[in-house]
Amino acid sequence: MEVIGIGESMVALVNEPKGYIRHADSFKPYVAGAEMNTLIGLSRLGHGTSWISALGEDELGELILHKVRAENVDTSHVIHKDKRTGVFFKQILPDGSVDVTYYREDSAASNMDIRDIDMDVIRRAKVLYLTGITLSLSSSAKEMLFEAVRLAGDDVTVVFDPNIRLKMWSEKEARETILEFLPHVDCLIAGRDEVDILLGKMRPEEALKSFRKLGCSKVVLKLGKDGAVYDFDGVRGSVENPKQFEEIDPVGAGDAFAAGIVSGLLNDERADELVGKACFLGGYITQFVGDYQGFPSGDRLSAAMENFDDEKV
Ligand code: KDG
């Protein structure tokens, strides 16, 4: 398999009509999970992907499994535990602000541990895609992830998005854990707020240098509306965002960005090309409700990038 991702997915309940949940008439179930979203994006772009996770022995677990399988992501390493599948509620207000309420404590995936991953499967992959969410789930999940990167071997490129969720842990816990994790990371994708949490407020160029010193040979910093800057093995540059997309649901943009980076690494694309593709995908996906629903196929992405001015999106 080209890419392995490890992480929790949950059922996301989104209220209808949009607005405050207290006025909801109904809730629509979606499937969401940062690593899974990226794997689905990669699978739609034509890459071979496999997801390692744990689900409950319940209907919500089945719902997730059905959706992920339908996206051509290999689920043969997903296990079941005698625990519940995680759930969260997602409220999107008309100004675009999103609020999530998690019901994931002690979930099946939070109970994952070292025994739940097959290191041979990971060693055979080209890319191991991880996020900080898994580090924040529980001490056993954190230990499992450290073990995975320690044993992955030099031939596996570890790509990591800190994805710091402050509803999951404090800034201090996130900083301490992630800084200890970074020496095992080959390619780091971080947002501006994450730089502030991990390194303190500093200019993007200084942050690139600091992350390189911590051991990440490739670093991409997402600067929101200002695009992204990167340092890939000493090759530095910046990429502007494509023209504004009409944003409907911003959640999942970071996972789409990550899919662009991983896809570019697998295709041996130049740094400016792959970061450009990541910026485009990150914007493109926000036009759709749901974290991964709007991911394009490779052909559709190429066409959309070429004809963007004419695209009626
Ligand atoms: O990146 C999108 C994720 O935030 C969403 O899918 C849910 O994985 C999730 C989380 O833990 O918040």
Side-chain angles (χ1 to χ4, degrees):
M1 216 39 92
E2 284 184 287
V3 190
I4 304 279
I6 308 176
E8 174 166 42
S9 283
M10 295 169 285
V11 172
L13 295 168
V14 181
N15 53 302
E16 287 183 353
K18 269 211 184 92
Y20 293 106
I21 283 181
R22 71 189 83 161
H23 300 301
D25 289 334
S26 60
F27 289 91
K28 192 164 177 202
Y30 288 86
V31 168
E35 303 80 5
M36 176 207 74
N37 293 339
T38 299
L39 294 175
I40 290 176
L42 286 162
S43 161
R44 290 211 190 158
L45 292 175
H47 299 287
T49 59
S50 181
W51 180 48
I52 297 182
S53 190
L55 295 167
E57 284 162 357
D58 50 27
E59 276 303 312
L60 298 185
E62 285 306 304
L63 191 164
I64 294 173
L65 212 46
H66 274 69
K67 297 275 189 208
V68 182
R69 281 186 183 144
E71 296 292 344
N72 261 327
V73 174
D74 169 60
T75 56
S76 57
H77 306 289
V78 174
I79 56 163
H80 285 87
K81 286 188 184 271
D82 188 15
K83 293 281 177 184
R84 290 196 185 115
T85 300
V87 175
F88 70 102
F89 289 84
K90 181 157 99 172
Q91 172 184 276
I92 310 173
L93 295 183
D95 67 0
S97 58
V98 177
D99 190 42
V100 297
T101 309
Y102 293 128
Y103 293 84
R104 70 194 303 183
E105 226 180 286
D106 197 33
S107 65
S110 304
N111 278 281
M112 279 194 290
D113 65 42
I114 292 173
R115 291 164 300 177
D116 295 332
I117 49 173
D118 180 343
M119 281 315 301
D120 285 338
V121 172
I122 293 175
R123 281 197 205 97
R124 285 198 297 270
K126 290 190 181 142
V127 170
L128 176 60
Y129 179 68
L130 306 170
T131 85
I133 297 174
T134 314
L135 292 171
S136 73
L137 289 179
S138 64
S139 52
S140 68
K142 172 174 149 182
E143 204 185 325
M144 171 187 74
L145 226 58
F146 269 89
E147 190 72 352
V149 290
R150 262 191 226 114
L151 299 180
D154 292 343
D155 294 339
V156 183
T157 301
V158 177
V159 181
F160 178 71
D161 180 341
N163 245 332
I164 298 175
R165 301 278 181 263
L166 291 174
K167 288 199 169 164
M168 300 293 290
W169 52 359
S170 68
E171 289 194 8
K172 182 171 180 286
E173 282 173 300
R175 178 167 49 249
E176 287 173 1
T177 305
I178 292 172
L179 290 181
E180 192 187 335
F181 195 72
L182 289 185
H184 303 288
V185 169
D186 300 301
C187 177
L188 170 70
I189 305 165
R192 208 197 289 258
D193 293 354
E194 290 165 339
V195 171
D196 294 349
I197 293 173
L198 295 172
L199 302 173
K201 282 216 180 297
M202 62 173 64
R203 286 184 302 120
E205 304 76 51
E206 288 173 60
L208 287 174
K209 246 190 245 162
S210 303
F211 285 129
R212 290 283 316 274
K213 271 198 201 132
L214 285 167
C216 310
S217 55
K218 296 177 172 50
V219 183
V220 194
L221 301 181
K222 296 177 281 184
L223 305 177
K225 304 242 178 291
D226 296 330
V229 291
Y230 60 86
D231 183 332
F232 271 35
D233 307 294
V235 177
R236 288 201 183 181
S238 62
V239 171
E240 282 184 17
N241 269 345
K243 272 187 253 150
Q244 268 339 110
F245 288 100
E246 198 188 323
E247 185 176 294
I248 292 179
D249 177 0
V251 184
D255 306 329
F257 187 97
I261 298 291
V262 174
S263 169
L265 289 173
L266 289 167
N267 294 343
D268 273 331
E269 287 168 18
R270 279 198 330 261
D272 59 330
E273 277 175 342
L274 67 87
V275 178
K277 181 158 88 176
C279 285
F280 191 90
L281 270 173
Y284 188 90
I285 196 98
T286 63
Q287 304 169 106
F288 300 81
V289 179
D291 294 7
Y292 64 80
Q293 280 71 359
F295 266 114
S297 65
D299 288 348
R300 188 178 281 270
L301 174 64
S302 309
M305 288 180 77
E306 259 168 45
N307 307 318
F308 185 64
D309 285 346
D310 308 324
E311 269 265 298
K312 300 276 181 294
V313 281

